[in-house]
């Protein structure tokens, strides 16, 4: 009424009380990046506020925001990008399998990103240690045109892969043109062999690949891998390969003996070393034997002592003796080797 003061209250479209009519009439932002940035900042704050945080609930939308920000080439401080990777590392899926989501995203070359960022994502997957990521990583390793990202994918699967992945890994060794990628695939198979309870079946698969190899590079790699499975089948092939006129084949056979799954072929390795007239191959045999004994594996103490003594006795050249003396400083082998070396002197 005339002469009376009038007061008014205003609310905007979000239901928030504001001070003026103009504020109430403002249209909400239609820029989706504003909401995305707010969600991203909230996710990264969780890592910043608690460095010990683990298993943080994460929806599919939130994961996609983190992945999208992770590949962004916009100016971003190093600590911000690292925070994104850390947040993905400790994320726990809320209504979504994050391991499949992250691995599928990172492994898909249609998702454009720099190689170093893709490798970072693979390292995140490696840290999450979920076998759900395996198919995506191996598919990337098989199909990628970039050896650096293919190798990173294989590094990520090394502790996760199992017997069922061997066929794909053998295929990578057979057909991939990069020696680095082939080497990584070989290392994965060696780790699988170490964990496997079906080494005879693995040996059969590797023998088949060896018999059907279409090039020398893959053939010698398959020959080396037979050592990781051990067994009679592998032993027969390796012993035959030691008679080959091709130096490359004999070197691979010696590497197989140096990686043998058990101690059964150590004597054969020393026998071949003693008979080998080629200095390079003898050196290869000696180094393989030395590496074999230094591997950290369960062995009977007396058997190990005997093998060290046999190797020390077999050391003939000054270089071999020098290598044995170097090992004599190690607690496990030192006493027994020193005694043998004193006797020889």
């Amino acid at each position: 009424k005339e002469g009376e003061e009038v007061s008014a209250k205003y609310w905007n479209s979000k239901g928030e009380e504001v001070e003026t009519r103009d504020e109430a009439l403002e249209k909400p932002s239609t820029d989706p990046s504003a909401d995305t940035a707010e969600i991203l900042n909230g996710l990264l704050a969780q890592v910043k506020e608690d460095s010990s945080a683990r298993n943080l609930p994460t929806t599919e939308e939130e994961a996609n925001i983190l992945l999208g920000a992770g590949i962004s080439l916009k100016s971003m401080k190093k600590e911000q990008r690292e925070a994104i990777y850390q947040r993905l590392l400790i994320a726990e899926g809320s209504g979504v399998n994050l391991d499949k989501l992250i691995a599928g995203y990172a492994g898909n070359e249609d998702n454009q990103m720099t190689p170093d960022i893709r490798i970072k994502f693979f390292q995140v997957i490696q840290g999450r240690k979920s076998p759900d990521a395996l198919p995506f990583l191996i598919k990337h390793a098989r199909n990628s045109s970039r050896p650096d990202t293919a190798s990173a994918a294989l590094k990520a699967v090394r502790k996760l892969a199992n017997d069922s992945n061997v066929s794909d890994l053998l295929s990578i060794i057979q057909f991939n043109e990069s020696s680095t990628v082939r080497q990584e695939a070989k290392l994965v198979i060696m780790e699988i062999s170490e964990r496997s309870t079906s080494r005879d079946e693995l040996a059969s698969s590797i023998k088949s690949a060896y018999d059907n190899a279409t090039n020398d590079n893959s053939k010698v790699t398959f020959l080396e891998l037979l050592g990781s499975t051990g067994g009679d089948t592998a032993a027969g092939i390796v012993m035959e390969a030691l008679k080959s006129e091709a130096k490359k084949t004999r070197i691979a056979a010696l590497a197989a003996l140096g990686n043998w799954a058990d101690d059964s072929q150590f004597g054969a390795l020393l026998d071949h070393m003693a008979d080998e007239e080629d200095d390079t191959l003898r050196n290869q045999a000696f180094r393989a034997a030395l590496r074999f004994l230094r591997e950290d594996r369960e062995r009977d103490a007396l058997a190990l002592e005997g093998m060290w003594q046999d190797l020390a006795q077999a050391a003939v050249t000054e270089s071999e003796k020098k290598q044995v003396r170097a090992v004599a400083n190690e607690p496990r082998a030192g006493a027994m080797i020193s005694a043998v070396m004193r006797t020889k002197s």
Side-chain angles (χ1 to χ4, degrees):
K1 295 180 180 180
E2 187 177 350
E4 293 183 6
E5 292 185 5
V6 177
S7 63
K9 291 185 177 181
Y10 303 97
W11 289 265
N12 63 19
S13 60
K14 294 182 179 180
E16 302 165 336
E17 186 174 348
V18 294
E19 295 184 357
T20 68
R21 180 174 182 275
D22 289 339
E23 287 179 287
L25 294 175
E26 281 182 4
K27 292 182 179 180
S29 171
T30 57
D31 180 7
S33 63
D35 289 337
T36 298
E38 185 177 348
I39 294 171
L40 177 64
N41 290 335
L43 293 168
L44 300 186
Q46 293 174 322
V47 177
K48 185 177 181 181
E49 292 167 1
D50 183 3
S51 59
S52 64
R54 295 291 183 273
N55 304 322
L56 295 178
T58 307
T59 65
E60 183 174 356
E61 179 190 9
E62 290 170 336
N64 282 321
I65 288 173
L66 288 165
L67 290 167
I71 68 169
S72 171
L73 295 178
K74 292 180 180 179
S75 178
M76 184 182 291
K77 292 181 180 179
K78 182 181 178 182
E79 52 266 31
Q80 288 177 300
R81 201 176 290 279
E82 291 297 329
I84 290 172
Y85 302 137
Q86 178 64 19
R87 183 60 180 77
L88 285 168
L89 178 65
I90 62 175
E92 181 175 337
S94 180
V96 61
N97 186 320
L98 287 184
D99 297 296
K100 288 184 177 180
L101 177 65
I102 298 170
Y105 186 88
N108 186 352
E109 288 197 299
D110 290 339
N111 293 326
Q112 298 295 314
M113 63 188 83
T114 61
D116 61 317
I117 290 176
R118 197 181 300 278
I119 290 170
K120 277 288 188 182
F121 280 144
F122 287 151
Q123 289 170 353
V124 168
I125 297 164
Q126 183 177 356
R128 291 180 63 85
K129 301 177 182 178
S130 171
D132 288 340
L134 272 171
F136 305 97
L137 295 170
I138 290 178
K139 182 179 179 181
H140 180 87
R142 288 188 64 176
N143 300 331
S144 176
S145 58
R146 295 197 60 95
D148 50 355
T149 62
S151 297
L154 289 170
K155 281 188 175 75
V157 307
R158 196 180 293 179
K159 300 295 183 184
L160 303 173
N162 54 56
D163 296 39
S164 66
N165 303 122
V166 168
S167 176
D168 285 330
L169 294 164
L170 291 173
S171 177
I172 290 172
I173 294 172
Q174 175 71 278
F175 298 111
N176 200 289
E177 295 180 359
S178 167
S179 60
T180 303
V181 175
R182 293 197 303 269
Q183 175 69 9
E184 287 296 336
K186 181 186 83 171
L187 293 175
V188 177
I189 293 177
M190 289 176 70
E191 292 233 8
I192 292 173
S193 296
E194 189 174 334
R195 296 190 294 266
S196 177
T197 57
S198 306
R199 285 181 180 167
D200 287 344
E201 293 179 18
L202 285 183
S204 179
S205 297
I206 296 171
K207 177 186 180 300
S208 178
Y210 174 79
D211 290 339
N212 295 292
T214 56
N215 60 77
D216 290 341
N217 287 330
S218 60
K219 196 171 185 72
V220 295
T221 302
F222 296 142
L223 182 58
E224 287 184 46
L225 281 172
L226 284 168
S228 67
T229 66
D232 293 340
T233 298
I237 295 171
V238 171
M239 292 305 148
E240 192 63 31
L242 285 173
K243 302 174 186 177
S244 171
E245 293 183 3
K247 200 170 186 176
K248 192 174 184 180
T249 299
R250 302 214 305 276
I251 289 174
L254 290 171
L257 291 177
N259 293 322
W260 208 257
D262 55 33
D263 297 338
S264 62
Q265 297 302 317
F266 185 71
L269 178 56
L270 292 187
D271 289 344
H272 182 81
M273 185 179 78
D275 296 336
E276 182 57 67
E277 296 178 357
D278 185 295
D279 290 342
T280 301
L281 288 172
R282 178 184 169 87
N283 185 46
Q284 288 281 345
F286 183 83
R287 288 168 59 188
L290 191 64
R291 183 176 63 249
F292 180 79
L293 291 186
R294 296 179 74 176
E295 278 189 11
D296 186 16
R297 60 168 73 177
E298 290 186 13
R299 285 187 170 110
D300 176 78
L302 288 176
L304 179 60
E305 180 178 348
M307 288 189 289
W308 272 117
Q309 289 174 344
D310 290 343
L311 179 61
Q313 289 283 9
V316 174
T317 68
E318 191 55 40
S319 172
E320 291 167 359
K321 292 176 183 177
K322 185 177 180 180
Q323 291 179 71
V324 171
R325 289 192 194 101
V327 180
N329 295 321
E330 299 179 7
R332 286 194 307 163
M336 62 187 82
I337 290 177
S338 296
V340 173
M341 297 305 289
R342 281 197 301 271
T343 301
K344 292 187 69 174
S345 297

